[in-house]
Amino acid sequence: MYIIMVASECAPVAKVGGLADVVHSLSGELDQRGHTVEIILPKYDCMRYDHIYDLQIAYRDLWVPWYGGAIHCTVWFGFSDGRRCFFIEPHSQDNYFNRNNFYGFHDEVMRFAFFSKAALEFMLKTNKRPDIIHAHDWQTGLLPVLLYELYQYHGMQQQRVCYTIHNFKHQGVCDEEVLWASGLQRPEYYGNRDRLGDDFSPRRINLMKGGIVYANYANTVSPTHAWEARHTEQGYGLGHILHVHQHKFGGILNGLDYEAWNPETDTLLPHNYTVNNLDGKYANKIALCNRLLLEEAYKPIIAYIGRLDTQKGIALIRHSLFYALDNGAQFVLLGSSPEARINDEFWKLKFELNDNPDCHLEIGFNEELAHLIYAGSDMVVVPSLYEPCGLTQLIALRYGTVPIVRAIGGLADTVFDWNDEHKSPNPNCQRNGYVFYDATPEGLESALHRAIGLWNSHPDIFRRLLVHGMKCDYSWKQSVQNYLNAYEHISVTKV
């Protein structure tokens, strides 16, 4: 198959969050299976150009229709970690992608609406006719609308769109101006609630909704989150349109890059190890204590690694810290918040606990330290209020660190409670951690209590539990096959 990914991010050249990792990993896995994959990105001025090889102009004069005229663009090509990437650079006074940052501007919708149109115009003018255009998140929600309302009448009638939603919270809600700019016009037509009309804001356009309506297949990044988006408030108002289009909507679990995250070969670890030889894991625990000036004691280390924001359950993260210290465990935190208030709260907490030999808070992010914490900790806590997929628990399982998670989204699809008698204790991803349901201190404590208790009372069984986790396979292998099945289902030319 010939697949073109269109996205606002791709690691390592343009990364803000998990979207970048998914585009990078999925593209690489598809390529390894013999499919032709290309990626189209904006050419940001703040990209990691040191991760692009052989950057050169691929198309010099791309004129993209915009309002009543056109914007002149240059399209660049380069390899990034073996991926074939095209970068669209518009030349206009708007400077859409020359702002020294990826996101956070007043004209966000216009920037990415233009990018979506430019990507299609580039395909049209260069005679690129992929079997599948795989678009991601609200930033490319307008792409399937433009394809089926405009571009299919100019020679792109056989292209099919897979549209993946990584985060329902941000939907690209805007006024009707985007319709006039992009050439769609007809606000009375597109503003209809069955198309792009936002359900809660009269005369407003919802780009993510448009992506769902016009895509041949739409998905989010785990089966449970797909159900949540349809039936709970986690769809952020899109539950009705997802119900209408349920025949083409599903959940495909994200995978983990097992080459980047491999305790056997991880160059950021002082000691490598395997599921059959865990000596290195215990040596990494000592190294972690030395690195963070924790007391070397016979205690479990519980960790939190990730963003500090409301989604992740701030109150429960804080509660897990004090519960661990009150119940004979040590606690390590690595993370920061985009909100100054939350950052200040955890800095204050850090100073309060600075002399505690059983606790260390690292406010910020350090890639090397993250790897060491995953390898050296006994457990990791993930008390999210919502979590479309989550990578923290997948990395923890890979590194033999027992995840303690709330049963939500992708966490519920990947972590299964050790005490669940309905699942057999075997290596095929059953009974590999601890799970709680209520987003309350009592719910969290129910899981922490059992995990700490097993570590103290039955270390041999705890070791068996972490081995079960390491034997789980949450690589991209199955996830890629699920995407290929979806591509095949919607493709005009069956393979």
Side-chain angles (χ1 to χ4, degrees):
M1 274 191 168
Y2 177 21
I3 302 143
I4 291 183
M5 298 274 173
V6 184
S8 59
E9 298 179 36
C10 179
V13 292
K15 178 177 176 177
V16 175
L19 165 63
D21 294 316
V22 172
V23 174
H24 173 270
S25 298
L26 178 56
S27 299
E29 291 286 340
L30 288 167
D31 181 75
Q32 287 183 20
R33 294 196 182 201
H35 302 280
T36 300
V37 185
E38 295 174 342
I39 304 168
I40 299 179
L41 299 161
K43 188 175 183 291
Y44 303 101
D45 60 351
C46 56
M47 289 193 308
R48 290 291 303 272
Y49 285 90
D50 56 323
H51 286 290
I52 305 174
Y53 170 72
D54 197 22
L55 185 64
Q56 57 186 283
I57 293 176
Y59 196 89
R60 191 174 298 275
D61 292 310
L62 180 69
W63 289 91
V64 180
W66 197 243
Y67 284 105
I71 293 178
H72 177 228
C73 298
T74 301
V75 182
W76 298 73
F77 172 82
F79 291 94
S80 177
D81 200 17
R83 279 70 169 168
R84 295 169 53 85
C85 298
F86 293 91
F87 305 94
I88 295 177
E89 179 184 25
H91 307 292
S92 77
Q93 61 185 8
D94 294 300
N95 281 318
Y96 280 144
F97 305 112
N98 295 320
R99 302 182 181 184
N100 201 35
N101 216 328
F102 297 107
Y103 305 127
F105 303 99
H106 70 281
D107 57 347
E108 207 83 326
V109 167
M110 285 298 188
R111 297 171 69 219
F112 291 104
F114 176 81
F115 167 65
S116 296
K117 178 140 190 172
L120 286 170
E121 193 71 20
F122 174 59
M123 292 182 222
L124 178 67
K125 295 295 174 59
T126 56
N127 203 33
K128 289 181 178 293
R129 300 295 185 266
D131 299 296
I132 301 294
I133 301 172
H134 194 153
H136 296 265
D137 262 352
W138 76 263
Q139 289 90 345
T140 58
L142 199 63
L143 187 150
V145 184
L146 291 165
L147 177 63
Y148 292 109
E149 292 287 0
L150 297 179
Y151 283 83
Q152 72 156 321
Y153 301 109
H154 298 278
M156 297 186 70
Q157 65 274 13
Q158 291 195 315
Q159 280 53 65
R160 297 295 180 258
V161 177
C162 174
Y163 180 55
T164 298
I165 299 167
H166 301 259
N167 190 335
F168 280 95
K169 187 174 182 180
H170 306 288
Q171 299 178 4
V173 178
C174 58
D175 59 32
E176 297 169 349
E177 188 73 12
V178 71
L179 300 175
W180 299 103
S182 63
L184 290 168
Q185 304 177 349
R186 296 193 292 164
E188 70 286 351
Y189 174 78
Y190 294 106
N192 187 287
R193 285 183 60 188
D194 291 335
R195 295 184 184 88
L196 279 72
D198 189 71
D199 286 355
F200 304 97
S201 305
R203 301 182 66 82
R204 300 277 281 176
I205 300 299
N206 187 314
L207 300 192
M208 181 175 285
K209 184 177 182 179
I212 295 166
V213 171
Y214 280 84
N216 300 98
Y217 175 74
N219 73 286
T220 189
V221 290
S222 73
T224 294
H225 192 58
W227 183 92
E228 292 166 347
R230 278 189 58 200
H231 298 287
T232 76
E233 70 282 356
Q234 291 190 41
Y236 286 90
L238 292 177
H240 172 71
I241 206 68
L242 291 173
H243 176 74
V244 171
H245 293 274
Q246 61 182 295
H247 62 284
K248 62 171 186 177
F249 176 69
I252 298 179
L253 190 70
N254 282 343
L256 179 69
D257 186 338
Y258 270 31
E259 291 186 9
W261 295 99
N262 184 353
E264 186 174 0
T265 59
D266 193 334
T267 58
L268 297 180
L269 298 182
H271 308 279
N272 294 115
Y273 59 98
T274 69
V275 67
N276 296 315
N277 184 353
L278 294 171
D279 290 347
K281 179 167 180 64
Y282 302 122
N284 283 318
K285 183 173 182 176
I286 295 173
L288 179 62
C289 289
N290 292 335
R291 169 82 175 265
L292 301 182
L293 302 180
L294 296 175
E295 180 184 2
E296 285 187 42
Y298 185 73
K299 296 178 179 181
I301 296 179
I302 302 173
Y304 174 82
I305 307 167
R307 291 195 321 276
L308 298 170
D309 63 24
T310 304
Q311 172 199 344
K312 301 297 183 180
I314 291 297
L316 294 179
I317 295 169
R318 182 187 175 104
H319 190 80
S320 64
L321 186 162
F322 286 104
Y323 185 87
L325 296 180
D326 290 342
N327 288 270
Q330 296 177 313
F331 195 90
V332 172
L333 179 145
L334 173 64
S336 62
S337 176
E339 298 181 39
R341 176 188 60 82
I342 296 176
N343 250 5
D344 291 345
E345 175 187 341
F346 277 86
W347 271 109
K348 181 180 178 182
L349 200 57
K350 176 181 175 67
F351 288 127
E352 290 176 1
L353 298 168
N354 192 54
D355 295 328
N356 191 316
D358 289 327
C359 182
H360 182 91
L361 278 65
E362 190 77 14
I363 312 302
F365 191 76
N366 180 305
E367 187 72 20
E368 180 186 3
L369 181 56
H371 283 242
L372 181 59
I373 293 174
Y374 278 118
S377 299
D378 297 287
M379 311 163 204
V380 65
V381 63
V382 192
S384 302
L385 303 185
Y386 71 92
E387 193 68 67
C389 178
L391 291 178
T392 299
Q393 83 281 12
L394 303 184
I395 299 169
L397 290 168
R398 178 75 161 148
Y399 280 64
T401 302
V402 175
I404 301 169
V405 309
R406 182 163 176 253
I408 201 80
L411 302 175
D413 291 323
T414 53
V415 180
F416 307 101
D417 198 282
W418 178 251
N419 299 119
D420 186 350
E421 296 179 354
H422 299 290
K423 296 186 181 294
S424 58
N426 57 46
N428 69 340
C429 300
Q430 302 213 25
R431 293 169 67 171
N432 56 5
Y434 287 95
V435 177
F436 66 99
Y437 292 86
D438 296 332
T440 62
E442 294 77 17
L444 174 64
E445 288 178 14
S446 70
L448 283 171
H449 173 75
R450 289 180 290 123
I452 295 171
L454 185 69
W455 191 94
N456 282 312
S457 302
H458 301 284
D460 54 330
I461 299 178
F462 189 89
R463 182 186 177 104
R464 194 196 321 164
L465 169 58
L466 71 87
V467 166
H468 281 184
M470 294 184 74
K471 289 183 176 180
C472 292
D473 184 358
Y474 286 121
S475 66
W476 274 99
K477 181 170 62 176
Q478 184 57 50
S479 300
V480 166
Q481 188 56 54
N482 289 336
Y483 274 112
L484 285 171
N485 292 343
Y487 295 167
E488 165 70 12
H489 180 67
I490 64 176
S491 177
V492 172
T493 305
K494 305 298 182 183
V495 294

